[in-house]
Amino acid sequence: MGIRVVFPVGARVCKSRSGDAPRGFYAWYGATVSGCPERGDIDATYMGVSSHWNALDYTSPNQEEGDCQPLSPGLRGFRLAIAGHASVACQRIGPRGALEVWIYALAGKPSEQGGPPRTVYYAFLGTHAGREQQDMPRFEQFLTGIEIGR
C-alpha cells in the first residue's frame, strides 16, 4: 500500500489487515498481552497507520472523516499531520472510552481519469484519560516518520 513508517521504541509492530490483505501497521504501548492482538478490550495506548482504496471520487481528506469530531482545545497545540501531505485531524471515542486521534490524507497514484490520488491513508492514536500528554509527543514523533503514497 505504499507505506514506510518508523515507530517509536517500546512496542511490537504488527500488520493491520482488511480480511487477509495487508493495509498498514499498528503497535500497542503498555499492553500486557503478547503477540498482535486486534481487539479493543486492551487498556493500553495504540497507534498505527493504514490505508484503503475507497477514495475514487474524493477530492479532499475531509471526505473521510465521517463521525470524527473537531479536536478538543488540549490537542490543538500538537503538530498533527502526515508529513508532506494535506491532512485533516479529528477525534473520536474508541473502545473502552479511549480518546482516538485520527489523521487523514490522500496520496498515491491518481485515478485512471487523471484526477486526485485515490488512496486514503490514516494515522491514529488511542490513548486513555491521564495519558494524553505523555502519548501525544510520541504520536507527533510517529507522524514525522510516516511516508505514504510510494
Side-chain angles (χ1 to χ4, degrees), residues 4-81:
R4 289 180 60 145
V5 61
V6 176
F7 279 83
V9 298
R12 179 180 178 148
V13 176
C14 304
K15 280 192 278 188
S16 62
R17 296 180 294 273
S18 176
D20 288 336
R23 295 288 187 245
F25 305 94
Y26 69 95
W28 290 95
Y29 293 85
T32 57
V33 296
S34 60
C36 288
E38 293 186 41
R39 55 187 215 239
D41 64 342
I42 300 169
D43 188 27
T45 298
Y46 50 92
M47 66 178 69
V49 58
S50 199
S51 59
H52 65 78
W53 296 102
N54 301 339
L56 292 177
D57 298 322
Y58 287 3
T59 57
S60 164
N62 295 70
Q63 291 169 280
E64 183 63 23
E65 288 181 81
D67 64 346
C68 219
Q69 302 298 312
L71 293 174
S72 61
L75 299 176
R76 292 186 192 142
F78 293 97
R79 294 173 311 232
L80 300 176

Side-chain angles (χ1 to χ4, degrees), residues 81-140:
I82 296 175
H85 298 276
S87 304
V88 60
C90 57
Q91 69 183 53
R92 297 184 169 95
I93 299 301
R96 297 177 58 105
L99 168 64
E100 292 184 339
V101 177
W102 291 80
I103 315 296
Y104 294 100
L106 298 178
K109 297 177 182 172
S111 66
E112 293 175 10
Q113 296 78 25
R118 63 182 184 165
T119 306
V120 173
Y121 291 90
Y122 50 96
F124 54 89
L125 166 72
T127 185
H128 291 272
R131 294 203 304 235
E132 302 97 329
Q133 295 306 309
Q134 171 188 336
D135 292 337
M136 288 302 293
R138 186 180 340 191
F139 188 52
E140 278 184 308

